[in-house]
Amino acid sequence: MSLSIPTHDNNPLGICLSFILTHLQQARHHSHKRPLIIGLNGVQGVGKTTLVAALAAALAGEKPKNNGGNNGVKTLVFSLDDFYLTHEDQRVLSEANPGNTLVQHRGEPGTHDITLLKSVFTALKNAHPTKIPRYDKALFSGQGDRLPEEAWISVNQPGDEPIQVIIFEGWSVGFRSLDEEDVRARWEAPSRTLRHHQLEHLLFVNDKLRGYDAVTDVFDAFIHIDSEHLDYVYAWRQEQEESLRRARGDPSAGMTPKQVVRFVDGYFPAYELYTAALRRGILKDRPGRQLRMIVGRDRKVKQVERI
């Protein structure tokens, strides 16, 4: 069941900040000692990276009641993107599945190091020292690779202020796998990209997605930046490429419109498979802990729901 909320303030930052602070206050009321863990999903190009940076800055300036000091809310923001497989491991995966175009490059579920991701979350939940990996998408001519460990971000080190809020963001964060029958039904129905792929290849990715549940299950709350129409992602990605060309003063920089379509097509099957369940809510046993903001083509908030 979802509850629509009037959008008197269509500022995504204000809406999300209020949602997070409400749950942080509730956690403190119940004497939860571990950090509040927020999952955040937003389609590519919707502005989630900018939003989470603004949220961290805004939380740092907050002075919640019973904070025990003058500091704001220490917040850690990191991305699923930084847990992509190493270049070598991605090469092994693609060579082991030569006919499956979904895993020939980074992006889809199955192209992340889930063992590393789970170990980092285990440390963060228990306030133990750990390091957040960093990934450079520009390495190997754009194929990307994980940076050496000395470039990773150290957290929870001795003497560090305790982390109070964790925001974990990504375009596929919160996706949950479907039953095989559901995947087949969606594959057989009209779609934009699903019939570009063999059913067994979609099922391979769907099976890999089950491993992500161990992280999704630890979310205390979830924010979904949704779009009125999924197809907006194509236009938003094209706008990003145009911004890149302007910033560099190079009309040949970035992807061409045709390349953008091919690029987004590589991710779109996951949107077509898993967005419907995301919209219904991924924290079934904890109603009210999912915030869904629906934005229009202009990225302005049109509707807000609590699920």
Side-chain angles (χ1 to χ4, degrees), residues 1 4 6-7 9 33 48 58 69 114 124 146 151 156 179 183 246 269 284:
M1 179 179 180
S4 294
T7 54
D9 177 7
K33 299 299 183 182
K48 61 182 176 296
I114 295 302
L124 291 173
R146 189 181 302 156
N156 290 335
D179 293 337
V183 176
R246 287 195 299 269
K284 295 295 187 182

Side-chain angles (χ1 to χ4, degrees), residues 10-12 43-48 225-228 232-241 243 293-302:
N10 66 353
N11 175 13
V43 296
Q44 293 166 316
V46 77
K48 61 182 176 296
I225 311 171
D226 200 0
S227 59
E228 288 180 310
Y232 290 163
V233 68
Y234 288 88
W236 288 338
R237 183 68 204 199
Q238 183 58 49
E239 289 172 358
Q240 289 180 319
E241 298 303 306
S243 296
M293 291 191 303
I294 305 167
V295 302
R297 173 65 179 83
D298 57 3
R299 298 184 180 84
K300 292 183 179 179
V301 178
K302 306 297 184 182

Side-chain angles (χ1 to χ4, degrees), residues 16-305:
C16 292
L17 185 61
S18 175
F19 177 76
I20 292 172
L21 289 174
T22 295
H23 287 289
L24 181 61
Q25 185 177 13
Q26 291 174 354
R28 285 175 171 158
H29 178 72
H30 290 92
S31 300
H32 289 179
K33 299 299 183 182
R34 72 171 180 84
L36 181 75
I37 301 176
I38 308 288
L40 188 145
N41 176 294
V43 296
Q44 293 166 316
V46 77
K48 61 182 176 296
T49 302
T50 301
L51 174 62
V52 295
L55 278 171
L59 286 164
E62 283 290 328
K63 303 294 186 294
K65 296 178 181 179
N66 303 319
N67 193 35
N70 295 320
N71 295 327
V73 178
K74 184 173 181 180
T75 303
L76 172 67
V77 172
F78 65 108
S79 174
L80 179 60
D81 285 1
D82 283 317
F83 290 84
Y84 281 129
L85 296 171
T86 63
H87 181 265
E88 175 60 19
D89 287 344
Q90 177 60 48
R91 183 191 65 79
V92 171
L93 174 66
S94 61
E95 290 184 356
N97 300 274
N100 190 343
T101 58
L102 293 166
V103 294
Q104 293 307 300
H105 49 76
R106 68 176 188 268
E108 291 280 346
T111 64
H112 302 92
D113 188 333
I114 295 302
T115 300
L116 176 61
L117 180 61
K118 289 192 291 188
S119 71
V120 168
F121 262 96
T122 297
L124 291 173
K125 283 193 304 179
N126 295 287
H128 292 165
T130 189
K131 290 184 176 182
I132 309 297
R134 297 181 65 196
Y135 189 93
D136 188 340
K137 297 177 182 178
L139 296 176
F140 289 95
S141 301
Q143 294 180 29
D145 197 8
R146 189 181 302 156
L147 292 177
E149 189 169 343
E150 54 264 28
W152 296 11
I153 301 171
S154 296
V155 296
N156 290 335
Q157 300 303 305
D160 284 356
E161 180 186 353
I163 295 170
Q164 299 175 62
V165 173
I166 294 170
I167 302 176
F168 179 59
E169 61 92 2
W171 73 273
S172 61
V173 167
F175 285 174
R176 290 193 185 273
S177 61
L178 304 174
D179 293 337
E180 181 174 337
E181 295 77 12
D182 291 336
V183 176
R184 178 183 292 276
R186 293 180 186 279
W187 180 72
E188 292 176 344
S191 68
R192 178 164 185 152
T193 61
L194 293 181
R195 290 308 290 262
H196 297 174
H197 305 277
Q198 295 180 31
L199 177 59
E200 65 184 271
H201 294 163
L202 294 169
L203 290 171
F204 176 87
V205 170
N206 187 67
D207 184 63
K208 291 293 184 181
L209 186 56
R210 300 184 200 284
Y212 294 62
D213 283 347
V215 171
T216 304
D217 288 341
V218 306
F219 295 160
D220 297 301
F222 188 74
I223 297 172
H224 179 201
I225 311 171
D226 200 0
S227 59
E228 288 180 310
H229 300 287
L230 283 175
D231 286 356
Y232 290 163
V233 68
Y234 288 88
W236 288 338
R237 183 68 204 199
Q238 183 58 49
E239 289 172 358
Q240 289 180 319
E241 298 303 306
E242 292 168 357
S243 296
L244 175 65
R245 285 189 279 274
R246 287 195 299 269
R248 294 187 177 181
D250 181 0
S252 64
M255 292 184 283
T256 67
K258 287 185 178 180
Q259 289 172 329
V260 166
V261 170
R262 287 197 297 270
F263 176 80
V264 178
D265 277 351
Y267 293 82
F268 211 74
Y271 290 136
E272 294 191 288
L273 284 175
Y274 306 115
T275 299
L278 201 67
R279 288 170 173 168
R280 291 193 297 269
I282 64 167
L283 305 176
K284 295 295 187 182
D285 59 336
R286 288 167 286 170
R289 288 184 172 267
Q290 179 165 327
L291 177 73
R292 180 185 177 214
M293 291 191 303
I294 305 167
V295 302
R297 173 65 179 83
D298 57 3
R299 298 184 180 84
K300 292 183 179 179
V301 178
K302 306 297 184 182
Q303 185 178 347
V304 180
E305 297 177 350

